[in-house]
Amino acid sequence: MLTSSLLFIPSLHDFLFSLLPPGLAKGAEMVLVGIIYLTIFAVAGLFLVLLERKVAARFQLRLGPNRVGYGGSMQTLADALKLLSKELTGTVRADKFLFNLAPYFVIITALMALAVLPFSQSMQVFDINIGLFFLIALSSVGVIGILLAGWGSNNKYAMIGAMRSGVQTISYELSVGLSLVTMVLLAGSLQLSQIVEVQKSGWLIVQGHIPALIAFMIFMIAGTAETNRAPFDLVEAESELGAGFHTEYSGMKFAYFFLAEFINMFIIAAIAVIVFFGAWLSPFGITESLPWLGVFWFLGKTFLVVLLMMWFRWTFPRLRVDQLLTLEWKYLLPLNLANLVLMAVTVWLNLTIQF
Amino acid sequence: MSYFTEIYHGVKTLLTGMRVTGRYFITSGKSAITQQYPDNRASLKMFDRFRGEVVMLHDENNEHSCTGCQKCELACPNGSIEIIWDRGVDPETGKKKKFIDKHIYHLGMCTQCGLCVQACPSNAIVWAQKFRKTRSTTEPS
Ligand code: SF4
Ligand code: SF4
């Protein structure tokens, strides 16, 4: 059920259909939606990079970028312009085709994931009925881009980084998936709009209380690992591997990886918000009469979760590869399975809290 | 059972770490240690422990306490200190004695490691905070 439409701008939707024949209008609408989401991608990416740098500075008692624009607000824009003007270099005897293909893999999966997120009641491009499953699947496809980048670079460090990424994603997507499955048990649907609907009688983290809380903690840990952020950034451990899988990339191709990383963080935070904190629903339904405020609630909550992930990043030291695997297979996975049973029992005995 | 205590311990230590950084995050607005140097040139006060340059202390009679023992010269890993000395006769005791002619400190080679200051037995050399060795033509010297 493809609902690609500009339903969140109804007047534009009607205008397009009155102006063009239906087929053409549909096409034009798709292009427009694509452009809007690409813009969101770029703006959100740049904003998150700036936010990360500012937040990191505060955690380390520094000031952070504060020269370009008011309080440094234009810094990442300037950086992006600089990267645009850089030469695109490559290595000799690299696999040129895969080398050039890799960044697109990474950003396209990130963009596809953006499409299914319900930003508000009407602002969702693609309300697929297996939404959550789709998101989990996409987050594992993104790693192919990283593997291709490592392989195509003809660089040992890049290769090691990519392999580590493979190890990490294979292990941690299990935890991401299982913690989400735990919540699906409670919500009873994979469709994102349906999951939000269920939360009208209390956010799932409240409804599911203890097991939901455990699932949230596991999801945050595994989600941070999925996005290859510190403390799980073995993929691009600067002190060991240079820049990891994107060592050989320069200019805009490097920027793609960089932006995709931050967008992935945003997506993980958004999934957490959708599944645990009621997406665009306001707390206690205080702004229920103003549905367009949903976007702000959604972005606000996502922003808080992103802040939490940054807090992790600037507090914890990086794990070793063996520690990484120990954490997943010896701790997260058994806990997750036990939690799944706990949640099943909770739902079965109707011990959920509902308002 | 130790499995669960391990988990408990792990989570607790992680939260302790997060509390520390969280406090920094909340309080760091004004207390950031970054100095926005050329902007605050007039009011900048360097920290006591700052290592700007090695200087030889002189008292009010313009006398220093360096004995010319050359320990600083030996201690310096990259030869930034050169001591030029001479032998002479001490006018008081009439004995032969080593006199310091010149204590030369090459700032350009110094790595600010501080070994010379530690090595000096008579505390003749100390750290000074001055780090700016130039001036623009519009400023008074
Ligand atoms: S601080 Fe270190 S490098 Fe500089 S003069 Fe003293 S011993 Fe030599
Ligand atoms: S170690 Fe001290 S006393 Fe000896 S030569 Fe150097 S500055 Fe003079």
Side-chain angles (χ1 to χ4, degrees):
Chain A
M1 45 182 266
L2 185 69
T3 53
S4 155
S5 69
L6 282 172
L7 280 180
F8 47 89
I9 319 173
S11 53
L12 194 57
H13 176 78
D14 295 340
F15 172 71
L16 272 177
F17 272 85
S18 64
L19 203 67
L20 300 166
L24 217 56
K26 196 85 188 159
E29 213 172 43
M30 282 182 181
V31 171
L32 264 181
V33 170
I35 290 172
I36 290 173
Y37 270 72
L38 274 174
T39 318
I40 294 178
F41 180 88
V43 172
L46 290 178
F47 174 73
L48 284 172
V49 175
L50 181 69
L51 186 75
E52 166 98 53
R53 291 175 65 178
K54 276 298 206 188
V55 167
R58 280 194 74 129
F59 275 125
Q60 300 180 335
L61 301 178
R62 294 184 285 111
L63 290 175
N66 64 351
R67 294 283 142 171
V68 190
Y70 176 74
S73 52
M74 294 287 134
Q75 181 66 51
T76 45
L77 199 61
D79 288 349
L81 284 179
K82 185 202 77 174
L83 283 174
L84 263 177
S85 66
K86 290 257 172 175
E87 184 193 351
L88 295 171
T89 58
T91 37
V92 277
R93 290 201 283 138
D95 192 328
K96 281 278 169 345
F97 177 66
L98 294 184
F99 184 77
N100 291 327
L101 186 68
Y104 299 101
F105 249 99
V106 177
I107 58 165
I108 285 173
T109 49
L111 265 172
M112 280 166 79
L114 270 189
V116 289
L117 297 180
F119 285 99
S120 82
Q121 191 149 23
S122 52
M123 192 175 168
Q124 182 179 12
V125 174
F126 190 27
D127 189 16
I128 188 173
N129 56 3
I130 49 160
L132 212 51
F133 179 69
F134 184 75
L135 280 174
I136 298 171
L138 275 180
S139 69
S140 345
V141 173
V143 75
I144 294 182
I146 293 177
L147 284 172
L148 288 185
W151 177 254
S153 296
N154 188 25
N155 176 322
K156 292 189 187 82
Y157 290 136
M159 192 65 214
I160 295 173
M163 283 302 154
R164 284 183 181 185
S165 176
V167 166
Q168 194 170 327
T169 312
I170 287 172
S171 347
Y172 276 84
E173 73 187 3
L174 212 60
S175 278
V176 170
L178 274 176
S179 58
L180 290 179
V181 164
T182 315
M183 298 316 287
V184 169
L185 262 185
L186 184 59
S189 172
L190 280 168
Q191 192 170 1
L192 294 179
S193 57
Q194 207 61 45
I195 292 176
V196 179
E197 205 62 34
V198 170
Q199 306 192 48
K200 289 210 165 136
S201 53
W203 296 355
L204 283 187
I205 199 157
V206 182
Q207 283 195 26
H209 49 93
I210 297 169
L213 208 63
I214 299 174
F216 175 64
M217 280 154 91
I218 293 173
F219 179 78
M220 282 318 287
I221 296 171
T224 314
E226 279 263 303
T227 51
N228 298 329
R229 285 174 59 80
F232 305 102
D233 62 342
L234 312 135
V235 177
E236 40 197 291
E238 286 91 353
S239 46
E240 303 155 22
L241 300 178
F245 63 92
H246 54 54
T247 307
E248 296 296 348
Y249 284 86
S250 68
M252 217 41 216
K253 282 191 231 159
F254 166 73
Y256 285 154
F257 278 118
F258 203 64
L259 284 183
E261 188 190 324
F262 280 85
I263 292 293
N264 280 332
M265 174 173 74
F266 175 80
I267 289 166
I268 289 289
I271 296 175
V273 165
I274 293 164
V275 175
F276 296 97
F277 299 108
W280 41 266
L281 294 172
S282 51
F284 309 112
I286 44 178
T287 59
E288 215 161 335
S289 49
L290 303 164
W292 52 270
L293 267 180
V295 178
F296 296 99
W297 283 114
F298 185 88
L299 291 180
K301 288 179 206 169
T302 311
F303 173 79
L304 285 182
V305 179
V306 164
L307 214 59
L308 183 67
M309 291 176 84
M310 290 181 178
W311 194 354
F312 289 161
R313 172 165 185 176
W314 296 104
T315 306
F316 303 140
R318 181 186 303 135
L319 273 72
R320 275 197 322 259
V321 179
D322 62 322
Q323 290 169 333
L324 183 90
L325 295 179
T326 309
L327 175 67
E328 163 63 23
W329 295 100
K330 283 175 83 177
Y331 293 93
L332 291 187
L333 188 62
L335 280 179
N336 222 333
L337 291 170
N339 194 35
L340 189 62
V341 175
L342 185 64
M343 180 59 101
V345 171
T346 315
V347 175
W348 178 44
L349 296 177
N350 251 329
L351 291 176
T352 55
I353 303 172
Q354 291 195 0
F355 298 111
Chain B
M1 214 52 225
S2 72
Y3 179 77
F4 290 102
T5 32
E6 256 173 47
I7 293 177
Y8 171 73
H9 187 69
V11 171
K12 207 180 99 185
T13 43
L14 288 182
L15 288 180
T16 314
M18 283 179 74
R19 203 178 62 222
V20 173
T21 45
R23 201 173 49 234
Y24 284 163
F25 181 69
I26 291 164
T27 57
S28 80
K30 287 284 169 286
S31 67
I33 49 175
T34 309
Q35 299 291 333
Q36 306 200 48
Y37 167 55
D39 292 350
N40 66 354
R41 192 182 279 154
S43 63
L44 181 67
K45 172 93 174 62
M46 288 316 287
F47 310 99
D48 285 343
R49 294 196 312 184
F50 178 71
R51 296 172 172 187
E53 57 178 349
V54 175
V55 293
M56 188 171 278
L57 284 179
H58 283 74
D59 61 10
E60 58 276 11
N61 305 325
N62 202 21
E63 283 175 352
H64 57 74
S65 49
C66 174
T67 57
C69 70
Q70 288 186 302
K71 281 194 174 147
C72 53
E73 186 179 14
L74 286 171
C76 182
N78 47 18
S80 308
I81 291 180
E82 247 182 278
I83 304 218
I84 299 174
W85 52 276
D86 207 358
R87 285 186 204 284
V89 177
D90 193 331
E92 278 173 32
T93 56
K95 281 184 184 163
K96 276 200 170 167
K97 200 187 162 197
K98 199 163 140 187
F99 281 101
I100 178 165
D101 233 6
K102 237 179 190 165
H103 181 285
I104 304 170
Y105 165 60
H106 297 283
L107 176 73
M109 285 156 71
C110 177
T111 57
Q112 268 79 17
C113 69
L115 292 176
C116 54
V117 176
Q118 274 177 29
C120 178
S122 44
N123 295 331
I125 45 180
V126 293
W127 283 111
Q129 269 77 38
K130 188 175 173 205
F131 60 92
R132 185 171 175 243
K133 311 293 197 285
T134 57
R135 74 186 169 86
S136 68
T137 47
T138 54
E139 276 177 80
S141 54

